[in-house]
Amino acid sequence: MSIVLSARRDDLPIQDSDQLVLVGSGYQTESEARAAGSRLQDALMVALARVRVGADFGHRAAKGMFTTHGLNWVEEQIGQRVLNDIHGLMVFQSEPKPRFASINAQMIRRASPEIFMSAFTQAISLQPQISERDLLAYTLFNASFFQPTADSRFLLLVMSIEALIEPALRSSDAQKYVESLIEQTKSSPLPVEERNSILGSLRWLRRESINQAGKRLATERLGDRVYGDRTAPEFFTHCYQMRSDLVHGNLPVPTFEDVGGAVATLEVFVSDLLTGPILGYPVQ
């Protein structure tokens, strides 16, 4: 058995490379190799975390690849066996020695100069007052464009919405009910630490939940606008539930495709939330 960690490019040392490969060889069957690969991947993940080096192992990466026809074409050009270079664990026969084909693409957003100039001149004339809460939301929104994965973009966009949310007090009847629960808990025989933890949660119940407050914000700012096939408050709830599933590890977690499908519409949603009250809303 042989296990080698190296830079993806032969002409670079590990310290100068942002893409590494861990290659194990000498296994007799595909199932044996896959099981070993899974164990080694887990071990590498633990070791890198120990030395505080971040790595993307491809668990939630795009799986786009060359078609069989495309691979055959590349093989004809170089006269060598060619395999798709999968971002993540892959198992293959080591002989004849293969080359690996991958597609690297960089997406660039180009805005309409006319729309930009219209928005810019309008914003100059209106002289909007950006509150500290709004500034944080804009900062998180802007940071989302510099994230390498759909997951991180999605989470920052939802955080941008959360920065705008100010939960309102519940109705007086609801608050009285919560106060009664607080008084009952104070006099309960529970251990002090547990009792204080429950009291902290109950005090939060004096105000509406983040989901309720987010739906109210969406309704107030976006009205009857539609995002995807959902109304504004429905779309917020959809995204907030997806965010909770990702952050809290609720199974089954949203797939890469689920998050990728939502994040593009969420970008428009947050843009409208931030700029609509100032510049008005674009035609849908």
Side-chain angles (χ1 to χ4, degrees), residues 3-260:
I3 302 168
V4 178
L5 178 67
S6 63
R8 184 181 179 190
R9 284 174 45 183
D10 295 336
D11 60 336
L12 287 178
I14 286 178
Q15 67 179 11
D16 295 333
S17 178
D18 62 358
Q19 294 182 322
L20 305 182
V21 291
L22 181 68
V23 180
S25 60
Y27 304 99
Q28 299 302 309
T29 66
E30 180 179 346
S31 60
E32 181 186 354
R34 188 169 298 280
S38 181
R39 291 195 303 271
L40 289 168
Q41 181 176 248
D42 291 348
L44 181 60
M45 193 180 307
V46 171
L48 289 175
R50 167 59 70 179
V51 296
R52 302 186 301 282
V53 172
D56 178 0
F57 286 84
H59 293 117
R60 297 182 62 81
K63 302 300 180 183
M65 57 186 71
F66 284 93
T67 63
T68 301
H69 177 76
L71 290 175
N72 291 337
W73 181 84
V74 177
E75 288 179 346
E76 291 174 1
Q77 305 306 305
I78 67 173
Q80 188 175 353
R81 177 182 170 217
V82 178
L83 301 176
N84 273 303
D85 190 1
I86 297 174
H87 183 185
L89 176 62
M90 61 181 297
V91 176
F92 56 92
Q93 292 182 340
S94 54
E95 297 297 336
K97 186 176 181 180
R99 296 284 294 275
F100 297 92
S102 62
I103 300 175
N104 293 316
Q106 184 176 10
M107 302 300 292
I108 298 175
R109 170 73 53 80
R110 295 194 184 278
S112 162
E114 294 77 18
I115 295 176
F116 166 73
M117 286 303 299
S118 173
F120 191 35
T121 54
Q122 187 180 359
I124 291 173
S125 65
L126 291 171
Q127 300 182 20
Q129 299 297 310
I130 306 298
S131 68
E132 189 172 354
R133 185 180 292 276
D134 286 342
L135 179 60
L136 175 58
Y138 273 100
T139 302
L140 292 168
F141 175 71
N142 288 328
S144 72
F145 289 92
F146 299 93
Q147 300 307 306
T149 68
D151 288 340
S152 56
R153 284 198 66 213
F154 178 84
L155 291 175
L156 278 172
L157 286 169
V158 177
M159 288 169 64
S160 178
I161 302 171
E162 291 182 88
L164 296 171
I165 291 174
E166 299 182 73
L169 289 169
R170 296 182 186 273
S171 68
S172 57
D173 287 343
Q175 289 188 65
K176 289 177 183 177
Y177 183 72
V178 172
E179 291 298 336
S180 69
L181 293 176
I182 289 174
E183 292 304 317
Q184 291 179 51
T185 305
K186 285 180 179 178
S187 59
S188 74
L190 292 170
V192 174
E193 195 171 305
E194 188 171 5
R195 185 168 66 241
N196 288 340
S197 175
I198 294 174
L199 286 171
S201 298
L202 287 173
R203 290 185 181 109
W204 274 105
L205 292 179
R206 292 167 174 158
R207 294 184 176 272
E208 60 187 349
S209 68
I210 297 297
N211 182 48
Q212 289 174 316
K215 289 166 64 177
R216 178 171 52 79
L217 175 70
T219 300
E220 291 172 353
R221 292 202 180 187
L222 303 175
D224 58 359
R225 296 176 70 79
V226 175
Y227 297 87
D229 57 354
R230 296 177 170 88
T231 65
E234 288 172 344
F235 183 72
F236 170 77
T237 295
H238 170 69
C239 291
Y240 191 69
Q241 182 60 56
M242 191 179 295
R243 169 261 185 208
S244 297
D245 292 341
L246 277 173
V247 172
H248 300 296
N250 299 333
L251 300 178
V253 296
T255 65
F256 172 82
E257 291 74 19
D258 290 337
V259 175

